Amino acid sequence: MTDGELLAQEWDAQESDAQECDLQNGDAYASVLLRVIVIMMLADGEIADAEVSTIVKVYHQKTGIRLDHEAINLAIEETLADKEDSFVQMAGAALSAEQKVEILRGAAAVSMADNALGDTEGSYLLLVAEQLGVPGAELSAILQEAAASLHPTA
């Protein structure tokens, strides 16, 4: 086998491994962030334009990557296909405490994009915080921060 063939075979193996698990490419933070903010958008059963816009904004602010509608639609399909809903907990294990908090901040922004936090959205936020191992007190502080940004005091 030539060096070129060995490199191609190695590349194919690496690409396959990366497709099997987003963690292989070191992009766990971006993957979990996208999954969680999409979960928040879907939580109330409606996809509002404000939520989609907030997803694009939050994801770009936190990763430097601009999402298009195709990427969002793919993320929605992947989220809905994950029947076991184990991705956040599994991938979240690779994240730092700071990254987990940033993910929850992004999730809070998306869930409040319509200027309100519904019961279902609140339940999902609590579940995600638990899956990431973020204490409830930390989540409460994040939600207060997000609510304050909606209604800043003069």
Side-chain angles (χ1 to χ4, degrees):
M1 197 176 269
T2 68
D3 287 344
E5 290 171 327
L6 284 172
L7 286 174
Q9 189 176 25
E10 185 178 313
W11 174 258
D12 288 343
Q14 288 174 352
E15 188 174 303
S16 175
D17 289 346
Q19 289 172 350
E20 287 178 19
C21 182
D22 287 336
L23 301 179
Q24 295 296 323
N25 66 13
D27 211 9
Y29 173 71
S31 298
V32 175
L33 173 64
L34 183 57
R35 176 66 60 95
V36 169
I37 59 181
V38 167
I39 288 170
M40 290 303 110
M41 177 180 66
L42 298 173
D44 62 4
E46 297 178 22
I47 299 175
D49 289 341
E51 291 170 324
V52 174
S53 297
T54 303
I55 283 178
V56 171
K57 178 182 172 185
V58 164
Y59 196 78
H60 182 256
Q61 287 174 339
K62 297 190 181 300
T63 67
I65 299 169
R66 289 198 187 274
L67 293 173
D68 59 16
H69 286 286
E70 185 177 324
I72 294 172
N73 287 335
L74 180 60
I76 291 169
E77 289 174 18
E78 290 173 352
T79 300
L80 294 174
D82 185 11
K83 302 295 184 203
E84 295 176 25
D85 200 29
S86 59
F87 178 81
V88 172
Q89 187 170 14
M90 180 190 75
L95 302 177
S96 70
E98 182 179 324
Q99 289 174 318
K100 293 174 184 181
V101 167
E102 285 304 312
I103 287 170
L104 287 172
R105 283 188 176 125
V110 171
S111 66
M112 293 185 180
D114 57 1
N115 293 320
L117 178 65
D119 290 340
T120 305
E121 293 164 323
S123 295
Y124 275 108
L125 275 169
L126 184 58
L127 176 63
V128 168
E130 289 173 2
Q131 289 178 330
L132 292 174
V134 175
E138 184 88 33
L139 177 60
S140 293
I142 291 167
L143 291 174
Q144 288 175 354
E145 179 184 298
S149 71
L150 291 176
H151 308 289
T153 55

